[in-house]
């Protein structure tokens, strides 16, 4: 919300020399959030000039310029070159003299005015357009002051004349404080913060009783049992002069508030909305067909809105209709059939109060966010509708020359706020700071509540503009806010002894730290994916992967919760590769969503916000969401070691994915084994199944080359993914530190010839089993297939390390253990020693 200071001063005493920093600080003290400051970004001399004469001079480029003589209140007129042609001799205009600075294309590029030679003349200044002054987007011609209804003295300060010396502070308004989306609300909060006198603009006008215009509310499908409209006021003004301009002061205020000037009638409705917080709509009375009915849309209905778009309506849409059909989407945007035009003279003003949920849904459904819907979504004061309509009528009569008519309607079915009980000690107990009785009552009175004494405290009736005050806790928060948050001490809570991170939390952090220390970069991907991505990258199953679909996705193409981390990692890899970052080693630690097939989710009960849910409700809520296990996933692409002098490039591959999985398992003390596996997204000959015992905890492998090509990825992309929750469940709960060996080891290599179908991991397991307790470590060092090896066979070489805890092993003992391992491998898989 932007609040011009000159406007704010009308309703609260703001010092004449106040700075925007001081205004922002005052509003921040009462809970509003500082956003920005807005000015017209110009400096003088900018004065009123009068065109005395001009000559049209055609140029060789086909353009005709005017060489003008302009009186700016000096002894001699100034010669100024102008490219516009929408003025005549005698017109009064705005002249920027040399030394003036106007807004440029950006804040860092202001436009300085100087005497310049152009088109064969020295132009001693510039005649300004509305856009050059920051008053709008009009740039087809210069700003003629007569068009604004002004006839000032030549040489007068145009900055002061047009209100260009004003500035506006912008604050962020939270959803529960819709009243602050108005100058009325901002002025009240400034008064609460500074103690300055507040003058309620809603009390400055007197609504009059009007009748005769038929209005009905026929909501046959209310949302949440609430009618779509509770208040509907209409007023009529006849004989409005549509040619009258919007006054300069109003244009300046609307501009600073972020709203473009359109026409007098429309500008007045926007002005009153900003002033009082009540959205208004102006209809051309002569275009209405009978009275107005507020109802829900019917099947097949359409409407052409003010932006000239035809919109198909939904049965939930609340409509404003007349005898011809829909003439507006209530609280969102009006229809084109009753739009105010250049010939509109009779105006019907609508001031209504609509259900916030209904308006929010329509605005999102039609992708039509507007200033009106923004306010209705947060809640509008139902009692400000009549003053707002009266204020709009007042301005149309005063500025547009119209006459107020007795025709209108005054339908008000709004419900008065309920009184809330507030005990004397409640505020102190909840906030943790001592508040006196006077502080409590004064604070609540300041926000507009009516406070009455009761047996054990007070009976508080919230104001109609504060629908967020619903219980004692919200009243206590208001007391703390108005008295000042600085009264609440900053105390760092002391953690109870004996508590800290759980085992799972510690190991998850250790897993992430281990992978990061290994050179991988941690990333965070969106959990929303397409159904095809879940089917491609999810756990291998028949008939697709069970997944959860979002009820109202932000992106219809990503309407499912992920069942794997791989889609997100691949998306991040593609983004990096498109930016020239070709060597990638990424990992993510995050949750995936694995629903149980056949079970419905998302239908759990909603707990009451002011009470702790019962155990039954909590259990039902847990059952209403799918299992969300923690996973760790990784992706490798490009080179692990880049090419450099004396070093060839070493590409990433399957070995890197398996090594990362092993590192992860070692970090959490899980005995990981690698076996040949299969996954629908991975190369069938380059896929490893990751196991702990007989339980599969994940997969590692290289992406299918055809899939990599479809995704514009390199041919070799290695992936791994591990169910971290399952890995931690299977890991050792306590890990004894390995003793430091004090005796020397005996090392031997063994090369065995086996059939190509025998996995290297299976053979390694047989060697470990056969060698017995003396074998300390074994690893594959070579896989050879070629000359000297029978067709269909391969030679696998393993490095074996033997050690005894109590003596130095002899070569004979190590050989005996190795031979036992070879014998077992020969018996089980037919392995023979390579000669």
């Amino acid at each position: 919300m932007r609040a011009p200071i000159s406007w704010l001063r009308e309703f609260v005493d703001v010092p004449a020399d106040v700075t925007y920093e001081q205004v922002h600080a005052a509003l921040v003290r009462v809970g509003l959030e500082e956003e920005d400051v807005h000015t017209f970004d110009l400096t003088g001399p900018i004065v009123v000039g009068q065109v005395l004469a001009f000559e049209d001079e055609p140029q060789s480029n086909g353009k005709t310029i005017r060489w003008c003589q302009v009186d700016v209140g000096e002894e001699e007129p100034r010669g100024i070159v102008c490219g516009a042609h929408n003025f005549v001799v005698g017109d009064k205009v705005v002249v920027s003299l040399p030394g003036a600075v106007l807004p440029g294309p950006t804040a860092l590029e202001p436009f300085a005015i100087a005497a310049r030679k152009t088109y064969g003349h020295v132009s001693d200044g510039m005649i300004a357009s509305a856009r050059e002054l920051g008053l709008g987007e009009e740039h087809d011609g210069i700003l003629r002051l007569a068009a604004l209804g002004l006839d000032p003295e030549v040489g007068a300060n145009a900055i002061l004349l047009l209100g260009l010396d004003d500035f506006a502070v912008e604050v962020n308004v939270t959803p529960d404080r819709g009243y602050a989306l108005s100058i009325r609300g901002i002025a009240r909060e400034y008064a609460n913060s500074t103690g300055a006198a507040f003058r309620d603009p809603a009390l400055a006008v007197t609504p009059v009783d009007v009748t005769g215009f038929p209005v009905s509310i026929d909501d046959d499908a209310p949302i949440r049992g609430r009618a779509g409209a509770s208040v509907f006021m209409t007023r009529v003004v006849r004989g409005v002069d549509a040619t009258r301009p919007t006054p300069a002061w109003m244009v300046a205020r609307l501009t600073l508030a972020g709203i473009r000037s359109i026409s007098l009638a429309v500008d007045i409705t926007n002005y009153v909305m900003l002033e009082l917080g009540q959205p208004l709509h102006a209809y051309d009375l002569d275009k209405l067909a009978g009275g107005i009915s507020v109802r829900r849309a019917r099947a097949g209905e359409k409407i052409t809105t003010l932006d000239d778009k035809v919109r198909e309506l939904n049965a939930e849409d609340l409509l404003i209709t007349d005898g011809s059909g829909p003439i507006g989407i209530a609280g969102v945007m009006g229809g084109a059939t009753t739009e105010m035009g250049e010939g509109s003279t009779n105006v019907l003003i609508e001031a209504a109060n609509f259900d916030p949920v209904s308006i929010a849904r329509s605005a999102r459904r039609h992708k039509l966010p507007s200033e009106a819907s923004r306010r209705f979504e947060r809640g509008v004061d139902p009692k400000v509708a009549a003053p707002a309509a009266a204020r709009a009528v007042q301005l149309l009569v005063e500025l547009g020359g119209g006459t107020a008519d007795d025709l209108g309607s005054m339908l008000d079915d709004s419900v008065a706020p309920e009184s809330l009980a507030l005990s004397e000690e409640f505020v102190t107990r909840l906030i943790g700071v001592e508040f006196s009785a006077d502080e409590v009552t004064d604070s609540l009175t300041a926000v507009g509540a009516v406070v009455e004494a009761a047996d054990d405290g007070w009976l508080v009736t919230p104001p109609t503009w504060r629908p967020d005050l619903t219980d004692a806790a919200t009243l206590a928060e208001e007391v703390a806010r108005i008295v000042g948050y600085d009264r609440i001490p900053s105390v760092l809570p002391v953690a109870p002894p004996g508590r800290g991170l759980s085992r799972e939390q510690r190991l998850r952090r250790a897993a992430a730290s281990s992978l990061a220390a290994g050179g991988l970069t941690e990333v965070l991907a969106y959990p929303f994916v397409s159904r095809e991505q879940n089917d491609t990258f999810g756990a291998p199953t028949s008939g697709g992967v069970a997944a959860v679909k979002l009820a109202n996705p932000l992106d219809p193409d990503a309407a499912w919760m992920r069942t794997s981390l791989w889609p997100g990692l691949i998306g991040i890899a593609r983004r990096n590769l498109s930016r020239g970052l070709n060597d990638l080693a990424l990992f993510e630690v995050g949750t995936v969503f694995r629903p149980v097939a056949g079970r419905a989710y998302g239908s759990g009960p909603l707990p009451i916000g002011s009470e702790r849910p019962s155990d039954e409700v909590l259990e039902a809520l847990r059952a209403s969401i799918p299992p969300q296990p923690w996973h760790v996933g990784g992706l490798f692409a490009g080179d692990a070691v880049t090419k450099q002098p004396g070093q060839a490039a070493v590409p990433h591959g399957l070995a890197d994915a398996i090594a990362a999985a092993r590192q992860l398992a070692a970090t959490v003390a899980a005995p990981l084994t690698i076996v040949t596996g299969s996954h629908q997204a991975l190369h069938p000959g380059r896929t490893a199944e990751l196991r702990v015992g007989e339980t599969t905890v994940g997969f590692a492998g290289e992406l299918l080359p055809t899939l990599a090509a479809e995704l514009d990825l390199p041919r070799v992309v290695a992936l791994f993914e591990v169910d971290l929750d399952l890995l931690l469940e299977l890991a050792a709960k306590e890990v004894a530190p390995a003793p430091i060996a004090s005796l020397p080891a005996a090392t031997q290599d063994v090369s065995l010839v086996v059939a190509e179908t025998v996995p290297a991991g299976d053979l390694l397991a047989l060697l470990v089993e056969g060698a017995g307790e003396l074998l300390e470590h074994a690893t594959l060092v070579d896989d050879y297939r070629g000359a000297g090896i029978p067709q269909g066979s391969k030679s696998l070489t393993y490095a074996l390390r033997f050690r005894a805890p109590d003596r130095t092993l002899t070569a004979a003992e190590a050989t005996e253990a190795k031979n036992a391992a070879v014998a077992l491998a020969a018996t089980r898989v037919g392995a023979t020693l390579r000669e």
Side-chain angles (χ1 to χ4, degrees):
M1 173 64 193
R2 300 182 183 184
I5 294 302
S6 64
W7 206 347
L8 204 60
R9 284 194 174 105
E10 292 186 8
F11 311 126
V12 67
D13 293 338
V14 180
D17 59 348
V18 74
T19 64
Y20 64 82
E21 293 94 345
Q22 292 169 333
V23 178
H24 264 149
L27 296 175
V28 167
R29 280 197 297 272
V30 286
L32 296 173
E33 300 175 9
E34 175 184 345
E35 282 288 322
D36 204 351
V37 61
H38 301 272
T39 67
F40 285 101
D41 295 325
L42 45 74
T43 57
I46 301 175
V47 300
V48 174
Q50 186 171 30
V51 179
L52 302 179
F54 62 81
E55 295 179 12
D56 288 335
E57 298 182 357
Q59 303 297 312
S60 59
N61 60 5
K63 180 179 180 180
T64 298
I65 62 99
R66 283 183 171 181
W67 172 238
C68 307
Q69 299 299 312
V70 183
D71 180 8
V72 293
E74 300 173 337
E75 292 184 2
E76 297 292 332
R78 292 186 180 242
I80 298 176
V81 173
C82 183
H85 303 88
N86 66 322
F87 60 94
V88 297
V89 171
D91 275 347
K92 291 185 177 179
V93 295
V94 177
V95 180
S96 301
L97 299 178
V101 178
L102 301 183
T106 68
L108 299 178
E109 301 176 80
F111 180 50
I113 304 299
R116 291 184 175 91
K117 185 172 183 180
T118 179
Y119 296 108
H121 302 281
V122 176
S123 184
D124 200 13
M126 185 183 76
I127 305 176
S129 69
R131 191 173 75 176
E132 288 162 341
L133 295 172
L135 284 173
E137 295 303 314
E138 178 62 42
H139 195 58
D140 293 336
I142 63 168
L143 178 64
R144 297 171 57 249
L145 295 177
L148 298 178
L150 298 175
D151 185 20
E153 181 182 348
V154 172
N157 188 331
I159 293 178
L160 298 180
L161 175 71
L162 299 176
L164 304 181
D165 57 334
D166 204 0
F167 68 87
V169 293
E170 183 177 0
V171 293
N172 181 39
V173 177
T174 53
D176 60 330
R177 298 174 69 183
Y179 69 94
L181 289 173
S182 65
I183 301 298
R184 179 195 188 200
I186 297 296
R188 187 187 300 275
E189 291 304 319
Y190 183 85
N192 288 337
S193 176
T194 63
F198 170 68
R199 298 171 290 278
D200 192 343
L203 303 179
V205 291
T206 303
V208 298
D209 293 337
V210 291
T211 58
F213 187 82
V215 170
S216 64
I217 298 176
D218 306 310
D219 188 359
D220 56 359
I223 297 177
R224 301 185 308 168
R226 294 179 57 176
S230 59
V231 175
F232 206 96
M233 306 281 184
T234 60
R235 293 288 305 273
V236 171
V237 181
R238 299 186 185 274
V240 175
D241 185 353
T243 65
R244 288 199 183 185
T246 302
W249 58 267
M250 184 177 286
V251 173
R253 286 183 175 181
L254 290 174
T255 301
L256 279 178
I259 292 183
R260 178 173 58 92
S261 176
I262 298 174
S263 66
L264 178 61
V266 175
D267 289 351
I268 285 174
T269 60
N270 285 331
Y271 186 85
V272 174
M273 176 187 68
L274 291 173
E275 185 170 85
L276 298 177
Q278 170 66 58
L280 302 176
H281 188 70
Y283 300 92
D284 186 329
L285 181 63
D286 298 328
K287 295 179 182 179
L288 284 170
I292 283 178
S293 175
V294 182
R295 61 170 174 83
R296 300 288 170 179
R298 296 168 184 157
E301 279 191 308
K302 298 180 180 180
I303 185 175
T304 302
T305 45
L306 290 174
D307 55 1
D308 291 326
K309 292 184 178 180
V310 178
R311 302 182 185 275
E312 294 185 2
L313 298 171
N314 183 280
E316 274 195 355
D317 289 330
L318 189 68
L319 302 181
I320 309 299
T321 67
D322 66 0
S324 66
I327 58 173
I329 303 176
V332 178
M333 184 174 284
T337 58
T338 55
E339 180 181 7
M340 296 288 297
E342 293 182 357
S344 300
T345 58
N346 299 322
V347 183
L348 178 79
I349 297 293
E350 167 209 300
N353 193 278
F354 299 115
D355 174 48
V357 174
S358 181
I359 302 309
R361 290 183 181 180
S362 289
R364 284 158 179 74
R365 185 181 301 113
H366 296 287
K367 296 181 174 60
L368 264 179
S370 64
E371 290 292 335
S373 66
R374 184 183 176 205
R375 285 162 175 80
F376 282 126
E377 288 173 14
R378 289 163 169 79
V380 172
D381 181 4
K383 298 304 179 185
V384 81
R391 175 65 166 150
V393 170
Q394 179 189 63
L395 291 173
L396 282 170
V397 170
E398 178 183 331
L399 304 177
T403 302
D405 197 293
D406 293 336
L407 183 65
S409 62
M410 302 186 69
L411 193 157
D412 187 351
D413 292 331
S414 61
V415 179
E418 294 184 1
S419 297
L420 306 172
L422 181 65
S423 63
E424 290 185 2
E425 74 282 352
F426 181 82
V427 177
T428 295
R429 186 173 70 248
L430 182 66
I431 306 300
V433 177
E434 189 72 32
F435 292 99
S436 68
D438 287 344
E439 286 178 322
V440 172
T441 57
D442 290 348
S443 298
L444 295 176
T445 302
V447 301
V450 176
V451 183
E452 300 175 299
D455 292 339
D456 186 31
W458 303 275
L459 205 59
V460 182
T461 304
T464 53
W465 58 85
R466 294 298 303 271
D468 58 308
L469 301 181
T470 56
D471 53 30
T474 54
L475 296 177
E477 291 171 0
E478 286 300 290
V479 174
R481 185 176 69 87
I482 298 301
V483 172
Y485 292 130
D486 53 355
R487 281 276 295 275
I488 304 174
S490 298
V491 179
L492 187 66
V494 178
R499 298 185 183 179
L501 298 177
S502 66
R503 170 180 175 271
E504 289 73 17
Q505 289 171 325
R506 286 188 288 101
L507 290 178
R508 278 200 297 267
R509 294 189 182 190
S513 298
S514 172
L515 293 174
L520 281 75
T521 300
E522 186 171 11
V523 296
L524 184 65
Y526 288 111
F528 312 123
V529 298
S530 67
R531 181 65 198 237
E532 292 73 23
Q533 287 175 313
N534 269 339
D535 289 342
T536 301
F537 297 104
T541 59
S542 58
V545 178
V548 176
K549 187 176 183 180
L550 298 171
N552 55 342
L554 296 174
D555 180 359
D557 295 329
W560 298 80
M561 303 301 290
R562 66 185 179 189
T563 59
S564 167
L565 300 180
W566 286 348
L569 288 167
I570 288 173
I572 292 171
R574 294 180 65 191
R575 192 174 302 112
N576 280 273
L577 289 167
S578 70
R579 287 160 173 74
L581 303 174
N582 300 321
D583 302 324
L584 302 173
L586 311 174
F587 80 96
E588 180 181 5
V589 181
T591 55
V592 298
F593 303 84
R594 295 287 181 86
V596 178
R599 180 182 295 180
Y601 292 101
S603 58
L606 293 177
I608 299 174
S610 59
E611 300 176 5
R612 183 190 184 279
S614 65
D615 292 341
E616 292 76 13
V617 170
L618 289 174
E619 187 59 35
L621 283 171
R622 294 188 186 99
S624 69
I625 58 176
Q628 301 174 42
W630 285 86
H631 278 211
V632 180
L635 179 146
F636 300 86
D639 292 333
V641 178
T642 57
K643 182 180 179 181
Q644 50 193 298
Q647 171 68 60
V650 179
H652 279 304
L654 174 61
D656 296 293
I658 292 177
R662 288 187 185 278
Q663 181 178 350
L664 175 67
T667 300
V668 302
L672 190 70
T673 56
I674 312 295
V675 299
T676 301
S678 63
H679 191 287
Q680 68 268 18
L682 301 179
H683 193 299
R686 306 285 290 170
T687 302
E689 186 175 332
L690 311 177
R691 293 182 179 176
V692 175
E694 296 300 318
T695 304
T696 299
V697 296
F699 291 88
E702 293 179 1
L703 192 64
L704 276 170
T706 55
L707 194 54
E710 289 177 11
L711 297 170
D712 298 321
L713 293 171
R715 185 178 181 280
V716 177
V717 175
L719 299 162
F720 79 91
E721 184 166 357
V722 174
D723 185 331
L724 185 55
D725 282 353
L726 184 57
L727 189 70
L728 298 183
E729 181 182 332
L730 299 172
K733 299 301 183 288
E734 295 183 5
V735 181
I740 298 176
S742 59
L743 297 171
T747 59
Q748 295 195 14
D749 291 347
V750 60
S751 296
L752 299 175
V753 178
V754 294
E756 286 184 342
T757 57
V758 177
D762 291 355
L763 185 58
L764 176 62
L766 291 173
L767 292 176
V768 172
E769 180 183 349
E773 295 181 354
L774 293 180
L775 182 64
E776 183 180 73
H777 182 71
T779 185
L780 177 69
V781 296
D782 188 42
D783 182 339
Y784 175 74
R785 310 173 196 211
I789 303 299
Q791 186 72 23
S793 299
K794 60 184 176 183
S795 172
L796 301 176
T797 301
Y798 296 87
L800 310 177
R801 185 170 72 230
F802 299 92
R803 194 192 308 268
D806 56 350
R807 68 188 187 281
T808 299
L809 284 181
T810 64
E813 289 177 304
T815 300
E816 182 181 356
K818 180 186 75 174
N819 290 339
V822 172
L824 182 63
T827 302
R828 298 275 184 87
V829 296
T832 59
L833 281 170
R834 179 180 171 186
E835 297 179 357

